[in-house]
Amino acid sequence: MRLTGIYLACLSLVGAYGGREPSQETFKENLILRPLPDGRLLAHFVFDTEIEQNQSLPLQHYDLFPRQISEMVQRYHTEELILSFTQGTWRFEDWDTPPINEIGSGAQVLAKVGSNERGVYGNWKGLTNALSGMFCASLNFLDHTNSVVPGQTFKLPKGSQAQGQYFGVYNATTLLGQLPRENVCTENLTPWIKQLPCQTKAGIAALLNPHRLYDSDFFSMGLSFKPTCKSPSCEEIMLSYTQTLTAVLDLSRLMDGKKWSLRDIFDREVRNSCPLARSSSVQIIYPDTLNLQLESAHAKPKVHEISSFLKAAAFDLRNESVLDLQLSWEPFKAKTDNSAWISAHRFVLGHGSENGGIETLVTNNLPMHLNITYFDLIPWYLHVYAHTIKIQAHLGNGAIKELDYHDFQYQQPKIRGRPAILEFGLTLPPNSWTSVQYDFDKGFLKYSEHPPDANRGFNIG
Amino acid sequence: MGLLSRLLKKKQQAADITTPIGSKRDRMIPLYSVLVAVAIGLPLWWKQTEVYRANLPSEQMIAWDSNPPPIQIPFNFMIEWDDGLEPSSDLVLDWDTKIENRINSALMKDANNDRLRTKLPVSLKFNLQRSTGKNFDTLKPNNYLVSMKNHEKGQNSDKHPLLHVTDTRKWIAYTTKKKSSETLEIFEKSVLNYLVTEQGKLRQSVVTKDTQGSSKDLHAINYSPKYSLVFSLMNEDPESQITTWDIEGALKQYMYPLLNKLSIMSDFKVQSQILRYTALPIPPIASNNGTYITSDMLPNFINSAEWNMASIEPVAPTIHFLLYIPKTTSRPLVIKDSNLVSSKTNGFMISQWGGIHISNPPSDKQVYKFGTKELQPTMEVFVSQLRELLGIQEVSITKGQHKNVKVDELSPSNGVTDLELDSLMCRWLIQNIRLAASTLGSLDRMIISLTNMVVHDSIKDLVSDALNRLDQTVHVLSTGELSNAFTNSAFASGLAEKAFFDPDMVGMLYFPDEHKYAIYLPFFLPATMPVLSIIGFRLRQWKKNRGTKKDRSNPSPLKKPGNPAKPHDE
């Protein structure tokens, strides 16, 4: 090597590169376990990375924050990003409210994209292509035919100016793209794990065993990136990046017996916390009526009530050497006040390949009125008749009532162009279920437009 | 109904009246349909299925690839004299032209003697000018100013004049009135030696494949207008020690000066990251003092499956620099060669990928921070690796030691001298021209060989732009402006590559001729079969008919005896 003679001398030119203080980055990990009434177990992993950003872009030096994600959102002017891969159906009646919003099956990308010389759509294409390469998924198929700009849904509340401040672009567009048919598998999980500071080598992420996770009744993993204001004046900005993984495991099918240890459930062991984590915890949330047996050789959980009917037992992993937790509980019935406030079901009506309909049942379990927005993304090959939309509320006393919608928005589909969007507001009566129903004609498809294994049918969201 | 029956009747009558072969009109119908098909159908089909192919300047493209014009790279020297130093006798009055001629003819001779077969006829051109007395604060690449200073007594006890080659483009020579021609001689010798070596290197970089290229070039990444540099701190075991680094400070001190210098040619995007739990795919070998890995294990050092090295940058090549911190139990980890001699730098380079440096910080602290000072050895390794990856080569002014010539060492604050920078610019210029020329040549050959490929006007525009830029490069070189020529050459190669890799052209390639037949046959075969068969039938009839006609008009004596036999049969 030649430059061994280099020594520190006066440095004059630094020029355009400039200097700035290193940003403060924090990492937190948290695992929530929740026994479900039907004997299943909900495991919800949350990995939070935050970066205090008191300077403007570009971010250059990364410690805990994943470089590729930051590079991607900066390059494609993405102000906010939510990506999710989901498999299975969430059973609202049995499993209560899901801990995540994105429970539709397949892959979904929701992003606020700004415009530059590439344009909004160019940035969206770039972003989805980059995500596709990163997560080994078919996200590059998100194009005009399955990406939409939602009207009211997914809109950020007014006054949230962090994004604009952060990127210098104030009129970003929210785009939503769905690939309902996307299969989720280990090849998506591996790059997702790669973005974690400790990967699966330490901390709760050590439990991420793909064999057990993909053998579950419901699986969802995702990430979100979002800048938020640290103060009302929004001078300082916090970039938060969260990775979540949610799985509903059927323990009785996986193994015998009624006593389960973490080791049995995941076939892996938590040795310690991730040394980079500011906090690292395992929480078990259960109804206070449930007789939950918790055994741990070393650690004692801190038990506290989180609501009138829910208790939580928390373990701080930073004090543990090995967490060998054992759980057992009797199957229990969900209390009505414990089940989800609101649940939705959607199914296809009719048969044959000419026409059909879609019916969505929305149940309001609360004893009060609920304002909701109904949002439906319908592929272009279903020609929806807006005049056939029928909304009926079935009240608790058996009466049926026609409901009025407000703020109705309907985007006409274009054949081989854009999909249709149906969006309107509803006020659900207390303790009722409401049916939203509409008819469609099935469009004529070229043979190349059929998905592989076409007789299995189409996934429409 | 009536019409049809009448028509049929008429036809019957016509058939009855004429020969049994059918009416003349009947005979003409297949002929007409063929004619209509040929006259209207064929051009229509031709027009409809025609592939648009813009007219490319094929001759120029091939010419640049196979028979490019001579490229002469100018080296402009300017000499300024202190008062009264300039040689003034009549004999040496036109010293500048004489030196210029001598050096240029030597360069010419060297280029012609050279047995290398180059793809581009490259040579250097030396220009010498007397200073016009202007003040030169900044000199452009390949422009040098030699100041002849009056040798002050007592300043240098050496009798001989001295040429001082600095790391900028300003050289200084100390001389006296008496010794001025001798100084010029030393200057001439040094410059000649420098230019001949440079010419050799440049010609070496564009040799044809059958002559050997230098191995140094294999490490280097090709020129790109943008590079992405990623610095990664790899901590094998954060549980025994957490490591952080002041990368911004270290880059500012050691890397940015070099990048600033190079920014006249390329942009550099710099990023850094910290990765943990980066276990080596090769277990180090334990020794009595720490552990080591041998040089033959190095190709497996990078664990690309687990280390998060990927970049989303779509175009710019990424250069990686890894600072590897082994776990405390295997420290110190050193690299040893096959004779088990430890490497001096404890770093190594992967061709066209990046560089790695292994550092063994003290294990006693729970958290270890690499400050700017601690990063110095690492940054030295990285800087020298980056130089090699970009293909920056040392420049030699003299052959061996020359006591009269003093060449400055590389300045620590820059990482690259102006001479090296100019040399790199010349090589990248030549490479760009060659890349543009060979890409255009390949594009032309590809378009000629694939007749079904669509060639849009945009391709034509890109190609003619690239050709313009190439011509411009040669033109600007002849006026002596290297950096301007470099910009043009970079544009030329960029445009040529853009044309070659245009996604529009690829689409049609997926359809081979068989595909065409598969589509046309079901359409045309059923339609042409009856037409063809009726034509065949008519032809046979016509032949037969002609035979019988001949028989009638010119009765053959042979047939006659046969004819009476027929009635006999009846």
Side-chain angles (χ1 to χ4, degrees):
Chain A
M1 300 284 162
R2 183 173 172 241
L3 292 183
T4 39
I6 286 195
Y7 54 90
L8 239 284
C10 55
L11 287 162
S12 47
L13 272 176
V14 180
Y17 299 98
R20 62 174 75 95
E21 284 290 302
S23 309
Q24 283 293 314
E25 296 177 37
T26 53
F27 173 68
K28 290 176 192 165
E29 53 178 15
N30 186 16
L31 166 63
I32 294 167
L33 296 170
R34 211 171 78 194
L36 296 176
D38 57 359
R40 289 180 172 84
L41 178 75
L42 168 75
H44 181 56
F45 295 81
V46 184
F47 305 92
D48 252 319
T49 310
E50 279 178 348
I51 177 164
E52 272 176 42
Q53 179 70 13
N54 30 24
Q55 286 91 13
S56 58
L57 282 173
L59 266 177
Q60 254 188 308
H61 303 289
Y62 306 96
D63 183 353
L64 302 163
F65 205 81
R67 174 179 56 91
Q68 285 143 312
I69 299 281
S70 169
E71 209 184 336
M72 191 160 65
V73 296
Q74 287 182 43
R75 185 178 178 87
Y76 299 110
H77 284 245
T78 309
E79 303 183 356
E80 204 173 328
L81 169 69
I82 297 171
L83 166 73
S84 66
F85 295 97
T86 310
Q87 197 169 278
T89 313
W90 183 268
R91 298 180 200 162
F92 279 95
E93 291 77 14
D94 299 330
W95 299 347
D96 199 351
T97 315
I100 45 166
N101 288 327
E102 294 75 30
I103 54 162
S105 84
Q108 179 182 304
V109 184
L110 177 68
K112 275 194 83 181
V113 183
S115 178
N116 60 344
E117 71 280 353
R118 270 190 291 268
V120 171
Y121 187 71
N123 278 329
W124 169 255
K125 269 319 276 180
L127 174 75
T128 50
N129 276 315
L131 282 171
S132 163
M134 206 166 143
F135 289 100
C136 304
S138 331
L139 297 169
N140 51 325
F141 287 106
L142 287 175
D143 54 13
H144 281 299
T145 60
N146 45 20
S147 310
V148 292
V149 180
Q152 311 143 44
T153 336
F154 309 111
K155 271 268 167 77
L156 271 169
K158 269 184 186 171
S160 161
Q161 43 168 321
Q163 285 81 8
Q165 191 98 2
Y166 175 53
F167 281 93
V169 187
Y170 285 87
N171 46 0
T173 313
T174 306
L175 281 135
L176 172 76
Q178 282 180 339
L179 291 174
R181 207 187 166 89
E182 183 75 10
N183 279 320
V184 189
C185 201
T186 325
E187 73 216 31
N188 311 119
L189 182 66
T190 310
W192 185 88
I193 285 173
K194 261 192 179 183
Q195 309 303 326
L196 298 172
C198 286
Q199 288 121 50
T200 53
K201 306 283 180 9
I204 57 166
L207 296 173
L208 296 173
N209 175 3
H211 292 284
R212 284 291 155 88
L213 294 176
Y214 287 109
D215 193 15
S216 56
D217 292 338
F218 176 85
F219 174 84
S220 178
M221 61 173 219
L223 58 88
S224 76
F225 165 81
K226 176 167 87 179
T228 42
C229 291
K230 275 187 75 187
S231 57
S233 61
C234 210
E235 277 157 355
E236 288 189 5
I237 287 160
M238 174 106 79
L239 303 181
S240 58
Y241 169 74
T242 310
Q243 281 182 240
T244 56
L245 189 145
T246 312
V248 175
L249 300 149
D250 191 351
L251 299 183
S252 53
R253 190 170 56 79
L254 284 175
M255 61 207 111
D256 301 328
K258 278 190 174 166
K259 214 171 199 184
W260 298 296
S261 70
L262 272 187
R263 213 200 143 89
D264 294 335
I265 297 169
F266 294 101
D267 200 19
R268 295 278 163 92
E269 198 169 50
V270 188
R271 282 191 301 115
N272 49 3
S273 68
C274 172
L276 309 154
R278 180 165 286 185
S279 84
S280 178
S281 64
V282 175
Q283 269 184 305
I284 298 132
I285 295 177
Y286 56 97
D288 54 356
T289 50
L290 182 71
N291 183 20
L292 181 81
Q293 303 292 321
L294 266 181
E295 284 171 39
S296 176
H298 307 287
K300 277 228 161 139
K302 273 184 200 157
V303 182
H304 60 275
E305 291 197 352
I306 50 174
S307 73
S308 57
F309 48 85
L310 280 181
K311 267 188 186 171
F315 294 89
D316 190 348
L317 274 184
R318 285 177 306 163
N319 307 330
E320 310 299 325
S321 51
V322 176
L323 185 76
D324 55 343
L325 191 64
Q326 289 214 318
L327 296 162
S328 70
W329 69 90
E330 294 290 324
F332 59 97
K333 238 186 116 51
K335 280 168 98 181
T336 41
D337 56 351
N338 195 1
S339 61
W341 294 353
I342 182 167
S343 69
H345 254 294
R346 193 162 78 131
F347 39 86
V348 179
L349 305 172
H351 54 82
S353 49
E354 277 172 49
N355 43 41
I358 283 183
E359 182 167 8
T360 310
L361 301 181
V362 190
T363 315
N364 177 12
N365 290 325
L366 289 182
M368 55 170 128
H369 286 278
L370 255 185
N371 280 323
I372 63 157
T373 307
Y374 180 92
F375 175 84
D376 213 345
L377 196 165
I378 307 146
W380 60 263
Y381 47 81
L382 299 184
H383 308 318
V384 174
Y385 294 106
H387 74 273
T388 61
I389 296 173
K390 210 160 68 183
I391 305 165
Q392 284 180 327
H394 298 251
L395 305 177
N397 54 14
I400 297 174
K401 189 180 140 194
E402 294 277 328
L403 274 193
D404 270 347
Y405 47 75
H406 52 88
D407 295 326
F408 183 83
Q409 283 191 5
Y410 174 64
Q411 175 185 284
Q412 192 81 22
K414 278 184 188 155
I415 290 178
R416 288 178 186 87
R418 62 180 191 197
I421 307 179
L422 198 55
E423 206 174 9
F424 50 82
L426 283 179
T427 306
L428 302 178
N431 289 322
S432 68
W433 58 273
T434 306
S435 135
V436 179
Q437 195 185 324
Y438 55 83
D439 295 342
F440 56 74
D441 276 352
K442 291 177 184 170
F444 190 73
L445 285 180
K446 295 176 185 168
Y447 84 94
S448 59
E449 284 162 348
H450 286 266
D453 189 15
N455 54 356
R456 189 187 149 271
F458 291 73
N459 296 48
I460 53 171
Chain B
M1 181 64 202
L3 186 75
L4 193 70
S5 61
R6 241 186 295 155
L7 267 174
L8 280 173
K9 218 177 252 175
K10 209 176 177 185
K11 209 175 176 183
Q12 197 64 40
Q13 282 170 356
D16 289 346
I17 293 164
T18 53
T19 50
I21 308 154
S23 70
K24 198 176 178 189
R25 205 185 62 184
D26 273 8
R27 267 178 291 158
M28 293 316 276
I29 282 174
L31 191 68
Y32 279 138
S33 38
V34 170
L35 270 178
V36 165
V38 169
I40 300 172
L42 214 66
L44 212 72
W45 169 75
W46 185 256
K47 198 74 205 158
Q48 292 243 307
T49 58
E50 195 185 36
V51 174
Y52 184 77
R53 283 165 77 85
N55 223 349
L56 294 187
S58 181
E59 276 167 34
Q60 278 170 279
M61 289 160 80
I62 290 294
W64 262 103
D65 190 24
S66 54
N67 189 21
I71 311 284
Q72 272 205 324
I73 296 179
F75 277 75
N76 307 320
F77 281 80
M78 210 169 283
I79 292 189
E80 63 174 12
W81 298 90
D82 268 6
D83 287 342
L85 273 183
E86 190 174 345
S88 51
S89 78
D90 291 342
L91 281 174
V92 286
L93 207 55
D94 50 350
W95 52 268
D96 49 346
T97 12
K98 277 180 182 162
I99 294 177
E100 204 178 273
N101 289 342
R102 276 199 298 268
I103 289 186
N104 277 331
S105 61
L107 282 172
M108 239 354 158
K109 212 175 131 196
D110 176 70
N112 292 337
N113 279 352
D114 205 336
R115 264 170 292 157
L116 291 174
R117 284 174 52 208
T118 55
K119 290 171 189 160
L120 273 183
V122 182
S123 60
L124 306 190
K125 188 162 190 311
F126 173 76
N127 300 313
L128 187 64
Q129 273 183 301
R130 295 173 205 221
S131 164
T132 47
K134 263 191 273 172
N135 193 17
F136 299 99
D137 283 334
T138 50
L139 288 158
K140 284 181 180 169
N142 273 16
N143 282 290
Y144 304 94
L145 178 69
V146 185
S147 304
M148 297 289 184
K149 298 256 190 238
N150 203 343
H151 183 277
E152 284 167 35
K153 274 174 199 166
Q155 192 197 28
N156 195 331
S157 57
D158 204 321
K159 275 188 199 166
H160 295 283
L162 186 99
L163 176 67
H164 182 189
V165 178
T166 66
D167 64 350
T168 66
R169 298 187 182 96
K170 283 179 185 168
W171 299 359
I172 303 159
Y174 298 101
T175 182
T176 57
K177 175 81 179 164
K178 258 191 197 167
K179 304 259 181 189
S180 58
S181 24
E182 203 182 323
T183 315
L184 276 179
E185 229 167 78
I186 290 171
F187 165 74
E188 187 185 332
K189 263 185 196 166
S190 308
V191 166
L192 180 62
N193 182 49
Y194 165 55
L195 293 183
V196 167
T197 354
E198 280 302 296
Q199 181 166 283
K201 274 197 230 162
L202 276 183
R203 292 175 63 83
Q204 185 78 40
S205 68
V206 282
V207 287
T208 46
K209 264 183 194 155
D210 38 294
T211 40
Q212 277 287 307
S214 72
S215 60
K216 273 217 159 179
D217 282 356
L218 293 176
H219 293 308
I221 299 171
N222 282 338
Y223 170 74
S224 157
K226 194 178 179 187
Y227 293 97
S228 165
L229 305 187
V230 179
F231 294 85
S232 307
L233 175 66
M234 321 283 291
N235 187 354
E236 190 179 359
D237 184 19
E239 282 166 37
S240 54
Q241 188 173 51
I242 288 179
T243 46
T244 59
W245 59 352
D246 178 18
I247 183 69
E248 177 73 42
L251 287 174
K252 227 189 263 181
Q253 249 171 3
Y254 307 105
M255 195 56 82
Y256 289 164
L258 169 63
L259 299 185
N260 269 334
K261 279 266 186 178
L262 291 168
S263 64
I264 53 165
M265 291 181 270
S266 288
D267 283 337
F268 290 88
K269 179 184 173 190
V270 180
Q271 287 179 301
S272 82
Q273 62 179 355
I274 303 178
L275 300 179
R276 285 102 179 169
Y277 293 102
T278 51
L280 287 181
I282 36 161
I285 304 160
S287 68
N288 46 9
N289 179 24
T291 54
Y292 68 92
I293 45 175
T294 56
S295 48
D296 54 323
M297 292 157 82
L298 293 180
N300 302 320
F301 190 91
I302 302 296
N303 189 349
S304 44
E306 285 190 19
W307 297 356
N308 208 0
M309 310 305 293
S311 178
I312 64 133
E313 188 65 51
V315 194
T318 306
I319 307 176
H320 289 278
F321 291 102
L322 314 184
L323 170 56
Y324 193 84
I325 315 294
K327 56 186 174 211
T328 46
T329 49
S330 49
R331 281 182 212 167
L333 174 67
V334 289
I335 302 173
K336 290 187 178 181
D337 63 10
S338 44
N339 300 323
L340 293 185
V341 178
S342 300
S343 139
K344 266 185 202 161
T345 53
N346 217 17
F348 65 100
M349 206 181 82
I350 297 176
S351 295
Q352 309 196 344
W353 189 84
I356 291 116
H357 180 237
I358 301 175
S359 181
N360 296 293
S363 314
D364 49 343
K365 280 184 198 155
Q366 185 67 37
V367 178
Y368 185 82
K369 186 174 179 182
F370 283 91
T372 321
K373 216 178 149 202
E374 288 81 20
L375 283 172
Q376 188 196 331
T378 306
M379 283 296 153
E380 281 166 9
V381 174
F382 287 170
V383 165
S384 76
Q385 283 170 340
L386 180 63
R387 280 170 54 93
E388 209 165 324
L389 286 164
L390 293 178
I392 301 176
Q393 291 174 9
E394 285 175 55
V395 174
S396 71
I397 301 286
T398 55
K399 273 182 190 154
Q401 289 290 316
H402 196 293
K403 58 179 176 176
N404 288 325
V405 182
K406 183 190 162 209
V407 183
D408 266 1
E409 281 289 309
L410 181 56
S411 158
S413 56
N414 287 340
V416 62
T417 68
D418 279 353
L419 278 181
E420 288 169 337
L421 201 66
D422 294 354
S423 171
L424 179 68
M425 189 183 261
C426 292
R427 205 167 54 258
W428 274 354
L429 166 83
I430 296 295
Q431 280 175 359
N432 281 340
I433 295 177
R434 179 60 208 147
L435 179 67
S438 66
T439 312
L440 289 176
S442 311
L443 178 66
D444 191 62
R445 281 191 293 276
M446 180 177 80
I447 287 173
I448 288 171
S449 66
L450 297 170
T451 45
N452 285 331
M453 196 166 68
V454 185
V455 183
H456 288 301
D457 277 337
S458 61
I459 303 293
K460 187 185 169 187
D461 293 345
L462 286 171
V463 166
S464 49
D465 275 0
L467 285 168
N468 270 344
R469 288 288 185 174
L470 278 177
D471 293 338
Q472 195 69 17
T473 308
V474 178
H475 172 73
V476 173
L477 275 179
S478 67
T479 63
E481 275 194 70
L482 183 70
S483 44
N484 195 350
F486 173 81
T487 319
N488 277 308
S489 75
F491 269 117
S493 67
L495 289 164
E497 294 250 288
K498 203 174 167 192
F500 189 84
F501 293 107
D502 194 284
D504 287 347
M505 295 207 295
V506 197
M508 283 303 282
L509 290 183
Y510 296 117
F511 297 102
D513 278 348
E514 290 80 356
H515 183 85
K516 217 172 6 183
Y517 300 138
I519 288 177
Y520 287 144
L521 272 182
F523 280 121
F524 289 130
L525 208 62
T528 44
M529 277 321 275
V531 179
L532 284 177
S533 67
I534 199 85
I535 287 175
F537 174 71
R538 289 293 175 203
L539 271 176
R540 262 178 281 128
Q541 290 248 317
W542 176 68
K543 256 185 194 166
K544 206 172 148 193
N545 190 22
R546 210 173 60 163
T548 51
K549 260 187 186 169
K550 258 184 193 169
D551 286 352
R552 264 181 226 158
S553 59
N554 187 13
S556 141
L558 278 174
K559 265 196 173 176
K560 256 196 170 169
N563 271 348
K566 256 191 173 174
H568 185 77
D569 275 5
E570 280 166 12

